[in-house]
Amino acid sequence: MPNIQAEPIAGDFGARVTGVDLTQPLTRAQIDALVTAIDRYAVIVFPDQPVSQEQQVAFTKSFGPLDYGTYKALKTMQTRLDDAALSDISNVDVSGEVADRSSGQSIMNVGNMLWHS
C-alpha cells in the first residue's frame, strides 16, 4: 500500500498530497491512490516537488496517453517551456520576468481568462 496521504484543504475542495516523489516513476498502487484523490477533490497540490519539465511529462503519462493536438496552436505563443506536452499558463516570459502586457503570452492569458469564466 502506498504511503500517499491526501490532507483536505479549503474544506473538501482540495487536498495537499504527500508521500510520493514525483521525480520517480510511479507504481501501480501510487497511481491508483492518486486517481482516488483526483476523484475525491477538485484540486490536488503536491508541495515541495521540484520536478523538471521531463519529469512532469513522465508523471502525467502515468495516467494515460497525452493529447498534444489541442495545444499545438498554443505553442506558437508559448516559448518558455520546451516540451510540447506542457502548456504555460503563467505571466512569465522566456527570461523569467513578468511578461509585457502586449506579449503573446499575456494576450493568450486574457483570452484564457475570458474563456474559463
Side-chain angles (χ1 to χ4, degrees):
M1 192 68 173
N3 192 22
I4 294 175
Q5 299 292 318
E7 175 190 343
I9 53 176
D12 283 340
F13 182 76
R16 180 180 297 105
V17 176
T18 57
V20 63
D21 181 354
L22 302 185
T23 67
Q24 301 300 311
L26 299 177
T27 66
R28 181 76 249 166
Q30 289 173 317
I31 293 167
D32 292 343
L34 292 176
V35 167
T36 297
I38 292 166
D39 287 346
R40 170 70 179 88
Y41 300 99
V43 174
I44 59 173
V45 178
F46 300 93
D48 302 317
Q49 294 281 343
V51 297
S52 68
Q53 292 181 42
E54 295 80 15
Q55 290 165 330
Q56 184 174 354
V57 172
F59 168 73
T60 60
K61 287 180 178 178
S62 299
F63 301 95
L66 306 182
D67 179 7
Y68 293 90
T70 306
Y71 301 104
K72 284 182 182 176
L74 295 178
K75 294 312 283 185
T76 61
M77 284 189 254
Q78 298 178 344
T79 57
R80 192 171 63 94
L81 304 177
D82 299 326
D83 197 299
L86 299 174
S87 183
D88 186 358
I89 58 170
S90 74
N91 65 343
V92 177
D93 66 18
V94 294
S95 67
E97 300 297 320
V98 174
D100 183 82
R101 292 178 60 95
S102 64
S103 73
Q105 180 71 21
S106 293
I107 292 168
M108 183 197 63
N109 285 341
V110 170
N112 205 13
M113 179 182 62
L114 295 171
W115 171 261
H116 289 286
S117 61

